[in-house]
Amino acid sequence: MKVEQIYTGCLAHAAYYIESNGEAAVFDPLREVQPYIDRAHKDNAEIKYVFETHFHADFVSGHLDLRKKAGSEIVFGPGAKPAYEATIAEDGQVFEVGNYKVKVIHTPGHTMESTTYLLIDENNKEHGLITGDTLFIGDVGRPDLAQHVVSDLTEEKLAGHLYDSLRNKIMPLNDDLIVYPNHGAGSACGKMMSKETTDTLGNQKKTNYALRADMTKEEFIKELLTGLTAPPGYFPQNVLMNIRGYESLDSILDRATKSLSPEEFEVVANETGALMLDTRDAEDFAKGFIPNSINIGLEGSFAQWVGEMIPDVKQEILLITYPGKEEEAITRLSRVGYDNTVGYLKGGFSSWKEIRKDFESVARVTPSDLEKSYKTQKPLLFDVRKKSEYDSEHVLGAINVPLNEINNHLAQFPKDKPLILHCAGGYRSMIAASILKQRGWDDVADVIGGFEEIKETSVPKSEYICPTTLL
């Protein structure tokens, strides 16, 4: 049986595609659905089903557009209550895709409707499990997200359900089944996910902390909840979009791909109060940017950091991108529900400079510069990595303010002293620098290469401690 994993690194997201005898199915698709339609056309197949493992929190699914464009039937597991037409499957129900079968296994815990799909090949042999956020490689789904939508679903209750689902529904299955999860390392949907994106169920039983055979329910709940941090603020908003429905991506692109001259861009910014989002890389942004714009680079974990740093998915956004990258930026914003892009700067930042518009810059220092300053005077250094990264190893004396918490801790940054920021590699520190510049801090610099290069210098550091969570 052939299962195609379609992995999107910036979201650490995996969708899946199967095809048999002219019929296809897609599991947990992203919002831009044309690649799935094109893939099916390559096989001369029709996408019969779109299977959803649960109502996703970290992205807006493409199931509605697939139903509209490909005529696909949307399938959710037991307990799902979408506000649109969909098939709500029963536990144990079997769907046929050509000569393949897809069996529904209700596995509540991450959410109450969470469902695993057992894939059965043309010879009636069980092949693998599409596990969604129930079981990851090295981890399981966090049980604290649903309570942000339904308050009665406490993390303790859901963790208990997840324990039962894993032990009663998943672990009794054959060891040679291949596990196909919805996410890999870098996703905020679990705390210790592996960089590997598939494995056998048998190996997970041996290596995954949450599948220890001798673990009691109380031990499972305690271990699962230890190390969790607050989920990104956009998660509940995405859940509601996936439950209630959303606007077609085609309509969003038609509205958002509005080219604005520098003069028009400035007028729209002043009249609407839209957030100016510069998606260029850190190096180019540092050399020059439009005052009051913030930087979240398109070449990094763009959608995740947009979701972390922009609280309201309904926020109007004006884009500054490299020429030709406008549609990609709009699409990646919409993957996480940010559908209100109102236009982009024609010609990018260079067109702004050409007419001598005012612009600002951010100073950058090398790890060697930082090393020299430590020998003469101790600089005021801020580490904007996650707390788990900081606790694992950090520069002695550095103040930890995780990037996703910076807006709530601005008082920790003095305005009368020069500040130096660093993260792991330079991506997050430039986001932080841009936010501080937007809020009125003038003397801000970031470290090129971040902590990965600082480690190679003599700057004093704490002893390394192996992290117990990656959140």
Side-chain angles (χ1 to χ4, degrees):
M1 184 178 194
K2 184 178 179 182
V3 181
E4 186 170 335
Q5 183 183 74
I6 304 170
Y7 200 79
T8 304
C10 73
L11 279 173
H13 165 272
Y16 296 92
Y17 168 88
I18 62 172
E19 184 276 331
S20 172
N21 200 28
E23 293 184 345
V26 178
F27 299 78
D28 293 336
L30 285 181
R31 196 163 179 185
E32 64 274 24
V33 300
Q34 195 59 45
Y36 309 115
I37 294 171
D38 293 343
R39 182 67 187 85
H41 285 172
K42 186 178 178 181
D43 289 334
N44 294 315
E46 298 293 330
I47 301 176
K48 185 177 182 180
Y49 296 113
V50 183
F51 291 100
E52 291 287 340
T53 56
H54 63 293
F55 291 120
H56 304 284
D58 59 314
F59 69 97
V60 179
S61 181
H63 54 303
L64 289 177
D65 273 357
L66 271 176
R67 184 183 67 181
K68 177 181 177 182
K69 292 187 172 186
S72 310
E73 181 180 343
I74 301 170
V75 179
F76 282 96
K81 296 178 181 179
Y84 42 83
E85 182 182 348
T87 296
I88 309 304
E90 297 180 1
D91 193 20
Q93 186 172 347
V94 174
F95 295 83
E96 294 185 355
V97 181
N99 296 324
Y100 296 160
K101 295 182 177 67
V102 179
K103 183 178 180 180
V104 174
I105 304 176
H106 187 210
T107 50
H110 175 64
T111 64
M112 287 307 294
E113 79 283 353
S114 284
T115 296
T116 295
Y117 296 101
L118 176 63
L119 305 178
I120 303 169
D121 71 13
E122 65 275 16
N123 299 314
N124 217 34
K125 183 180 186 303
E126 295 177 354
H127 168 82
L129 294 165
I130 306 285
T131 57
D133 287 18
T134 294
L135 176 62
F136 298 124
I137 308 306
D139 202 359
V140 292
R142 57 191 294 175
D144 63 325
L145 301 182
Q147 70 186 59
H148 294 272
V149 179
V150 181
S151 59
D152 289 342
L153 291 176
T154 66
E155 57 188 27
E156 289 82 9
K157 285 182 182 178
L158 283 166
H161 285 302
L162 184 55
Y163 177 88
D164 293 335
S165 292
L166 292 169
R167 265 101 191 130
N168 300 332
K169 297 287 191 73
I170 301 296
M171 292 177 69
L173 298 172
N174 294 330
D175 286 356
D176 62 355
L177 289 175
I178 300 172
V179 176
Y180 298 105
N182 193 202
H183 297 293
S187 169
C189 293
K191 65 179 183 178
M192 282 295 289
M193 279 184 271
S194 169
K195 292 181 180 179
E196 301 300 321
T197 58
T198 61
D199 195 8
T200 63
L201 180 58
N203 194 51
Q204 283 303 293
K205 290 177 187 178
K206 295 176 183 176
T207 60
N208 191 318
Y209 76 94
L211 302 187
R212 292 201 309 270
D214 61 348
M215 183 183 262
T216 67
K217 182 180 284 191
E218 291 71 23
E219 289 171 337
F220 176 87
I221 292 172
K222 181 179 180 181
E223 194 159 343
L224 184 58
L225 299 185
T226 299
L228 292 181
T229 59
Y234 77 102
F235 272 23
Q237 299 174 78
N238 275 199
V239 170
L240 292 175
M241 290 180 72
N242 283 316
I243 292 173
R244 296 171 179 171
Y246 49 81
E247 190 176 3
S248 168
L249 181 59
D250 290 343
S251 299
I252 292 161
L253 286 169
D254 287 343
R255 182 175 66 244
T257 49
K258 184 183 297 183
S259 174
L260 301 170
S261 69
E263 293 83 1
E264 292 169 330
F265 186 92
E266 190 170 25
V267 169
V268 173
N270 290 332
E271 289 183 349
T272 65
L275 175 71
M276 293 181 288
L277 178 60
D278 192 320
T279 68
R280 294 174 298 150
D281 62 37
E283 181 179 359
D284 286 339
F285 180 84
K287 292 175 183 175
F289 60 90
I290 298 173
N292 295 317
S293 62
I294 67 167
N295 173 239
I296 303 178
L298 198 59
E299 297 309 312
S301 297
F302 174 71
Q304 291 185 33
W305 282 111
V306 166
E308 288 274 18
M309 305 312 298
I310 304 176
D312 186 1
V313 296
K314 296 179 181 179
Q315 170 70 53
E316 290 185 319
I317 293 173
L318 280 166
L319 284 172
I320 303 104
T321 72
Y322 294 118
K325 289 287 188 177
E326 298 87 5
E327 185 170 322
E328 179 184 347
I330 294 164
T331 299
R332 289 172 66 177
L333 284 167
S334 291
R335 283 178 183 168
V336 286
Y338 292 81
D339 293 346
N340 289 321
T341 299
V342 295
Y344 65 87
L345 179 59
K346 182 179 181 180
F349 179 70
S350 60
S351 69
W352 183 272
K353 284 180 65 178
E354 283 172 5
I355 61 171
R356 298 183 179 179
K357 290 278 188 182
D358 290 341
F359 65 91
E360 297 183 18
S361 61
V362 175
R364 310 197 80 191
V365 300
T366 67
S368 296
D369 294 332
L370 185 66
E371 184 177 29
K372 291 174 185 175
S373 66
Y374 258 83
K375 292 177 180 177
T376 56
Q377 59 179 9
K378 189 175 179 181
L380 192 54
L381 183 66
F382 286 87
D383 184 336
V384 300
R385 296 177 301 159
K386 300 173 185 176
K387 183 177 184 298
S388 60
E389 294 173 276
Y390 179 86
D391 289 345
S392 178
E393 188 179 16
H394 60 267
V395 174
L396 294 180
I399 301 167
N400 182 221
V401 181
L403 174 59
N404 64 340
E405 299 177 18
I406 194 170
N407 286 319
N408 297 323
H409 296 278
L410 292 173
Q412 289 188 243
F413 298 89
K415 285 189 173 181
D416 58 348
K417 297 178 182 178
L419 311 180
I420 299 177
L421 315 176
H422 84 80
C423 59
Y427 180 83
R428 286 174 286 177
S429 58
M430 189 54 68
I431 298 174
S434 71
I435 290 170
L436 291 176
K437 294 283 281 190
Q438 184 200 44
R439 301 295 178 85
W441 276 259
D442 294 322
D443 201 346
V444 178
D446 90 317
V447 181
I448 299 170
F451 190 70
E452 289 304 309
E453 294 193 17
I454 293 173
K455 286 197 297 185
E456 304 304 316
T457 70
S458 63
V459 173
K461 294 168 285 290
S462 66
E463 291 188 13
Y464 176 79
I465 300 172
C466 186
T468 57
T469 178
L470 299 179
L471 292 176

